[in-house]
């Protein structure tokens, strides 16, 4: 049976470390880290995610500001709100919760955020700095995975790493991070996606398999090398009549069978998910202490 890479436990440890640092900052008379979030519309999942981020700020001793906007807000109005937060010296980090209404360009909004306040790590400046291995805010989910690999002391140097999924939020930055010179890193990386030929064969060559394709139970045991480390980024709600709620959460990996042959694996829920918020808080702490852009 594989070692369970516990993201829930690890994220709690990280938040405790952040809270301790914030206590030190306050005791020294320094500025309390301040995260602002913009929520457009009333999407249930988005409200849940933002609520969890605000709660995590409280746990760590951060200040937080939540700006709620109607889904009828114009692109121009939203960009003005972003600009106002950019120019507000009391706010260290800014996130705009996705998805946005279809009439608003995600690219325009992302590009409007000052790189110094882009604690989501999505602006071209931060993505470019990450690729160059310069100080940067790394996107929260990839950073969370890197932190899990580090804290579970999983060897990455010289290993074959296969990433399934090429999104700008997870797959693409993950492939860059795993190939960078450092630890975790120095892996030989193959970035695959839905149109990759012989995907099953390539996946089975991986010492470290990172799955962020967005398809429930896509990776089965016959696609995994015995002893591989498997990181499951997916999260899906599927019907389950045996549950009181009528559903259960699963990942992109068929956990029950893959956990029998992998050496280590992240569960869903409780694996990568909790690390995303912890990483966002860590980036905000870096912003408050001006450790990336000075």
């Amino acid at each position: 049976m594989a070692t369970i890479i516990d993201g829930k436990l690890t994220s709690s440890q990280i938040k405790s470390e952040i809270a301790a640092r914030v206590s030190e900052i306050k005791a020294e008379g320094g500025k309390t880290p301040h995260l602002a979030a913009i929520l457009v519309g009333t999407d249930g999942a988005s409200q849940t995610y933002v609520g969890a981020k605000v709660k995590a700020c409280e746990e760590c001793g951060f200040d937080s500001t939540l700006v709620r906007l109607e889904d009828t807000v114009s692109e121009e109005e939203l960009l003005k709100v972003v600009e106002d937060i950019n120019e507000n010296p009391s706010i260290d980090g800014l996130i705009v919760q996705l998805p946005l209404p279809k009439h608003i360009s995600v690219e325009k909004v992302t590009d409007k955020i000052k790189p110094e306040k882009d604690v989501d790590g999505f602006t071209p400046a931060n993505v470019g700095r990450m690729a160059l291995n310069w100080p940067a805010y790394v996107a929260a989910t990839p950073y969370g995975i890197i932190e899990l690999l580090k804290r579970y002391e999983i060897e990455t140097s010289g290993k074959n790493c296969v990433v399934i999924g090429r999104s700008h939020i997870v797959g693409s930055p993950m492939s860059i991070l795993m190939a960078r010179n450092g630890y975790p890193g120095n892996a030989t990386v193959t970035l695959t996606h839905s149109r990759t030929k012989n995907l099953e064969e390539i996946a089975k060559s991986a010492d470290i398999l990172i799955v962020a394709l967005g398809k429930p139970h896509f990776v089965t045991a016959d696609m995994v090398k015995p002893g591989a480390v498997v990181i499951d980024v997916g999260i899906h709600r599927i019907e389950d009549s045996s549950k009181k709620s009528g559903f259960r959460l699963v990942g992109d990996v068929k956990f029950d069978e893959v956990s029998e042959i992998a050496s280590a694996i992240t569960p869903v829920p409780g694996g990568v998910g909790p690390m995303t918020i912890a990483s966002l808080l860590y980036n905000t702490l870096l912003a408050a202490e001006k450790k990336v852009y000075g």
Side-chain angles (χ1 to χ4, degrees), residues 1 6 12 21 42 67 69 83 88 112-113 115 126 136 149 162 193 202 204 228-229 237 247 251 254 289:
M1 186 71 181
D6 191 336
S12 294
R21 177 58 191 143
T42 57
V67 180
L69 301 171
E83 189 175 340
N88 186 336
K112 190 72 171 177
I113 299 170
N126 277 310
L149 294 173
V162 174
H193 44 81
I202 295 169
K204 196 155 188 173
V229 173
R237 194 162 84 164
F247 67 87
K254 206 160 189 181
E289 296 200 85

Side-chain angles (χ1 to χ4, degrees), residues 75 79 100-110:
E75 185 177 271
L79 291 172
L100 292 172
K102 290 181 180 177
H103 66 278
I104 296 174
S105 164
V106 174
E107 289 79 12
K108 277 188 184 177
V109 173
T110 300

